[in-house]
Amino acid sequence: MLTDPPTKNTICFSSSPQILSCGSVVGPKEGRGPLVDYFDAACRDELMGETSWEKAERRILMSAVDYCLNKARLQQEEIQAFVAGDLLNQIVTCGYTARQYDAPFIGIYGACSTFTEGLFLSSLLVDGQYRDLVLCATSSHHNSAERQFRYPTEFGAQRPPTSQWTITGAGACVISNKENDKGRNDRRLIVENATVGRVVDYNMANPLDLGSAMAPAAVDVIGSHFRDTGRSIDDYDLIMTGDLGRIGRSISVDLAKEYGLYLDDERYVDAGILIYEHTQNVDSGGSGCGCSAAVFAGYIWHMLQSGEMDRVLIVATGALMSPLISKQGETIPGVAHAVSVCAVD
Amino acid sequence: MLTDPPTKNTICFSSSPQILSCGSVVGPKEGRGPLVDYFDAACRDELMGETSWEKAERRILMSAVDYCLNKARLQQEEIQAFVAGDLLNQIVTCGYTARQYDAPFIGIYGACSTFTEGLFLSSLLVDGQYRDLVLCATSSHHNSAERQFRYPTEFGAQRPPTSQWTITGAGACVISNKENDKGRNDRRLIVENATVGRVVDYNMANPLDLGSAMAPAAVDVIGSHFRDTGRSIDDYDLIMTGDLGRIGRSISVDLAKEYGLYLDDERYVDAGILIYEHTQNVDSGGSGCGCSAAVFAGYIWHMLQSGEMDRVLIVATGALMSPLISKQGETIPGVAHAVSVCAVD
């Protein structure tokens, strides 16, 4: 079962694409969590004044994009590509958000790994001089995801302790190959490289335990990243998977040991654990496309800007299942992509 | 309503990425259509010996990939990235197919525009020297799409004349920046450039008339392409949209005139019209992610290889709706991406 992580899956960006700004907006439950001070906004209710949760999710995504563009003093007309995806069927949150913009739309799907897939593709567009300014965003909404992937929300199904709480939230970044003299960042955030993950299936089949299904993909891509770059966790102030939750993170640590990799307790964190307090009744932790996006765009951005961290590895993880395929008896494959971001003065 | 198509959305590939080979596999109905001789295989039944249509779709996609790799004399281990998407929720056809390969997986979604989105991103990865060999594929299956997007297949709902028949089929291409001395092509197929489309919504709201919803996006991106490149239809042996069907194609021709663009009857075709006979009871024509992919990988590939054509513009078109969002009263936005492919001796 245990095969060596593949090599040569890391793409280095030679022209140092920069993250000019980030925007992050979360829902009310996330606004009662420990990271609230780092987000641009926390909404008061899950509906945001809309008539459906799907429309509310769109509003949250658009709000994160607005914060992101405003902070970089950019108009939406300046954006040259919009790379985005979400968890809803046919990625309608992003498709309908893209309708508001003139920028070409590149729709992506990698379940909860979508954020780093987008960050990677956006950096690629910029690094290769194909585009100057690319907007990258992902979102999730607890209620819209819950009813699509699991049970009708009114049903009140009991949740097993392995389950994760899809977060309500969105994160957005602007990537550019040019200095932005309009924004006012303390430090420059550079996307150094990206390790693109393969699909890994350890025969987990429980759709209420996705952390266990995704952990092998996270370790696989971290292993690839270390082999390709010659780095270890010592080269990072933080490695953040997202969103494995407590159970998935614990499996990752054990599995990493079997690969001969060391992920220590202090520097290896998971976005799904960071975003909620233990007491918030979220079982194994948070999940959803918006989780690693919002935590990166809020918390990690601040840590890098403030100088508390200099280099982080973001490893968003996704479970590539669908409810229909699970009912057809299939196991759940996972995928993860790792992106290294460093801050320079 | 009528705004000028945007400019500067065209990305030129300076290093001439090549399509080394293509694979195309279709279902039984498509096998009775006029293009049957161009496809690598047409299946005898919709289930392909599997227990569900979803699993059959996966088998068709894998078969198209196998044909593609075999024709280029490539092993799957040589593939450095797999860029793919399909119509099923959570793009499970591609996710589960990717599980078979060691290559990093880049999941994309652009409804029926996914094929040119994939062709564009694959060419980008190769053109920027990030990867040497990229596999790009999309698929659709009539029965799996029908029950997901419209009615239970057993229900036998009456279809209005505006409706389109989602094709059963898949297309795959291998893109490379290197000559392949193992394959035996008559001509080299070069991906010249790609015009990435924005999301366009003309307030069409009928999910049984997607051709009308997508036509404005097709004309928008063709207009952008012509403005950016200074070309017209005279520079192409063929412009193929896909999949607008008869109604959508006719709207495209009219709308193009309003933009001052000329799309003539002989050189402007639609993949959804080409793939079926008039007599095959498909109403406005074919549709689905696999439609433009299979027609390109089969018919267009042969036309370019045989010297009957030298340069084509492929404009896959997608309707970014979901059944849920349509029920919430939303209109249907469209998106299209144009990719120019030429053959050189």
Side-chain angles (χ1 to χ4, degrees):
Chain A
M1 198 74 191
L2 207 68
T3 58
D4 276 343
T7 51
K8 298 185 186 164
N9 285 354
T10 301
I11 287 174
C12 293
F13 301 119
S14 53
S15 77
S16 304
Q18 288 179 55
I19 304 176
L20 295 185
S21 70
C22 286
S24 57
V25 175
V26 295
K29 190 181 181 94
E30 296 70 27
R32 291 190 297 274
L35 302 185
V36 58
D37 292 341
Y38 300 108
F39 300 125
D40 291 310
C43 311
R44 270 178 212 278
D45 77 284
E46 296 278 357
L47 263 177
M48 306 271 299
E50 293 286 350
T51 52
S52 76
W53 295 316
E54 288 74 19
K55 289 181 181 171
E57 180 175 341
R58 205 185 302 167
R59 184 166 286 274
I60 286 173
L61 178 63
M62 292 173 69
S63 175
V65 168
D66 286 346
Y67 275 108
C68 178
L69 295 182
N70 287 343
K71 285 199 268 182
R73 307 276 183 277
L74 291 168
Q75 303 297 315
Q76 69 96 339
E77 295 77 20
E78 296 175 73
I79 296 302
Q80 296 176 345
F82 180 45
V83 181
D86 58 274
L87 294 181
L88 292 188
N89 292 340
Q90 286 71 55
I91 61 165
V92 282
T93 308
C94 293
Y96 279 84
T97 298
R99 187 174 63 171
Q100 313 297 320
Y101 308 139
D102 260 348
F105 174 54
I106 299 170
I108 56 174
Y109 184 80
C112 304
S113 73
T114 307
F115 176 63
T116 43
E117 182 183 341
L119 200 52
F120 150 63
L121 287 174
S122 304
S123 303
L124 197 79
L125 279 161
V126 159
D127 183 64
Q129 321 285 325
Y130 300 107
R131 305 276 91 178
D132 292 328
L133 271 175
V134 178
L135 175 65
C136 150
T138 61
S139 69
S140 57
H141 189 294
H142 178 75
N143 297 14
S144 63
E146 200 62 21
R147 70 168 165 189
Q148 178 184 282
F149 284 100
R150 284 167 281 266
Y151 301 103
T153 27
E154 300 84 351
F155 179 58
Q158 201 171 0
R159 298 161 47 86
T162 53
S163 71
Q164 290 175 249
W165 189 274
T166 306
I167 80 141
T168 298
C173 305
V174 173
I175 324 286
S176 178
N177 53 13
K178 298 211 171 108
E179 288 290 336
N180 183 22
D181 44 20
K182 291 178 282 185
R184 282 172 291 182
N185 295 327
D186 294 320
R187 306 174 89 196
R188 290 195 307 142
L189 257 57
I190 309 288
V191 184
E192 291 185 304
N193 58 53
T195 308
V196 196
R198 61 176 172 173
V199 176
V200 177
D201 193 330
Y202 268 38
N203 292 319
M204 309 301 295
N206 179 2
L208 294 171
D209 180 11
L210 297 179
S212 301
M214 297 186 287
V219 175
D220 196 69
V221 83
I222 292 171
S224 286
H225 181 80
F226 286 174
R227 291 180 70 176
D228 284 347
T229 58
R231 292 182 184 171
S232 73
I233 193 165
D234 295 334
D235 294 290
Y236 291 98
D237 294 307
L238 203 75
I239 292 183
M240 183 178 83
T241 54
D243 28 25
L244 299 177
R246 259 172 280 279
I247 293 167
R249 181 186 177 282
S250 151
I251 292 172
S252 285
V253 171
D254 290 344
L255 202 54
K257 277 188 201 139
E258 293 190 41
Y259 279 113
L261 306 175
Y262 177 65
L263 296 175
D264 70 49
D265 260 353
E266 209 162 302
R267 284 172 298 179
Y268 168 39
V269 299
D270 184 79
I273 303 175
L274 289 177
I275 198 167
Y276 294 120
E277 298 285 1
H278 239 83
T279 51
Q280 283 188 285
N281 191 23
V282 292
D283 297 300
S284 184
S287 70
C289 253
C291 186
S292 47
V295 174
F296 176 81
Y299 173 67
I300 302 286
W301 168 268
H302 274 88
M303 287 293 124
L304 290 167
Q305 283 298 336
S306 66
E308 287 184 64
M309 294 179 193
D310 294 321
R311 189 194 267 161
V312 295
L313 186 68
I314 312 296
V315 189
T317 53
L320 296 174
M321 45 82 74
S322 84
L324 180 68
I325 297 298
S326 282
K327 280 173 201 142
Q328 290 183 7
E330 266 293 2
T331 54
I332 301 171
V335 71
H337 308 297
V339 175
S340 169
V341 180
C342 70
V344 291
D345 290 308
Chain B
M1 199 72 189
L2 207 67
T3 58
D4 277 343
T7 53
K8 299 185 185 166
N9 285 353
T10 302
I11 287 174
C12 293
F13 301 119
S14 53
S15 75
S16 305
Q18 289 180 54
I19 303 177
L20 295 187
S21 70
C22 285
S24 57
V25 175
V26 296
K29 190 180 180 97
E30 297 69 26
R32 293 190 296 274
L35 302 186
V36 60
D37 292 340
Y38 300 108
F39 300 126
D40 292 308
C43 312
R44 272 177 210 279
D45 76 282
E46 296 278 359
L47 263 179
M48 306 269 301
E50 293 287 351
T51 52
S52 75
W53 295 316
E54 289 74 18
K55 289 181 182 172
E57 180 175 338
R58 206 187 299 168
R59 185 166 285 274
I60 286 173
L61 177 63
M62 289 172 70
S63 176
V65 168
D66 285 346
Y67 275 109
C68 179
L69 295 182
N70 287 342
K71 285 199 268 182
R73 307 277 183 275
L74 291 169
Q75 303 299 314
Q76 69 97 341
E77 295 75 21
E78 297 177 73
I79 297 301
Q80 296 176 344
F82 180 47
V83 181
D86 58 275
L87 294 181
L88 292 188
N89 293 340
Q90 287 73 57
I91 61 168
V92 282
T93 308
C94 293
Y96 280 84
T97 298
R99 188 174 59 170
Q100 312 297 320
Y101 308 138
D102 260 348
F105 175 55
I106 299 170
I108 55 174
Y109 184 80
C112 304
S113 74
T114 307
F115 176 62
T116 44
E117 181 183 340
L119 201 51
F120 149 64
L121 287 174
S122 303
S123 304
L124 197 79
L125 278 160
V126 159
D127 184 64
Q129 320 285 323
Y130 300 108
R131 305 274 93 179
D132 292 327
L133 272 175
V134 178
L135 175 66
C136 148
T138 62
S139 69
S140 56
H141 189 295
H142 179 74
N143 297 16
S144 64
E146 199 61 20
R147 71 169 164 185
Q148 179 184 283
F149 283 101
R150 285 165 282 265
Y151 300 102
T153 27
E154 299 85 351
F155 179 59
Q158 203 171 359
R159 297 161 47 86
T162 54
S163 70
Q164 290 174 251
W165 190 275
T166 306
I167 81 140
T168 298
C173 303
V174 172
I175 324 286
S176 179
N177 52 14
K178 299 211 169 106
E179 288 290 338
N180 182 23
D181 43 20
K182 292 176 282 184
R184 282 170 292 182
N185 296 327
D186 295 321
R187 305 174 89 195
R188 289 196 306 144
L189 258 58
I190 309 286
V191 184
E192 291 185 305
N193 58 52
T195 308
V196 195
R198 60 177 172 173
V199 177
V200 177
D201 192 331
Y202 269 38
N203 291 320
M204 310 300 295
N206 180 0
L208 295 170
D209 180 11
L210 296 179
S212 301
M214 297 186 288
V219 176
D220 196 70
V221 82
I222 293 171
S224 285
H225 181 81
F226 286 173
R227 292 180 70 177
D228 283 347
T229 58
R231 292 181 184 172
S232 74
I233 194 166
D234 295 333
D235 294 290
Y236 291 97
D237 295 305
L238 203 76
I239 293 182
M240 182 179 84
T241 54
D243 28 28
L244 299 177
R246 262 173 277 281
I247 293 168
R249 182 187 176 281
S250 150
I251 292 172
S252 284
V253 172
D254 292 343
L255 201 54
K257 278 189 201 137
E258 293 191 43
Y259 279 113
L261 307 175
Y262 177 65
L263 296 175
D264 71 48
D265 258 354
E266 210 163 301
R267 285 173 298 181
Y268 168 39
V269 299
D270 184 79
I273 303 175
L274 291 176
I275 197 164
Y276 294 119
E277 298 286 1
H278 239 80
T279 51
Q280 283 189 284
N281 191 24
V282 293
D283 298 300
S284 185
S287 70
C289 252
C291 186
S292 46
V295 174
F296 176 81
Y299 174 65
I300 302 286
W301 167 268
H302 274 89
M303 289 292 126
L304 290 167
Q305 283 297 336
S306 66
E308 288 185 62
M309 294 180 192
D310 293 321
R311 189 195 266 162
V312 296
L313 186 68
I314 312 297
V315 189
T317 53
L320 297 174
M321 46 82 74
S322 85
L324 180 69
I325 297 298
S326 283
K327 281 173 201 143
Q328 290 182 6
E330 266 293 0
T331 55
I332 300 171
V335 72
H337 308 296
V339 175
S340 170
V341 180
C342 71
V344 293
D345 290 308

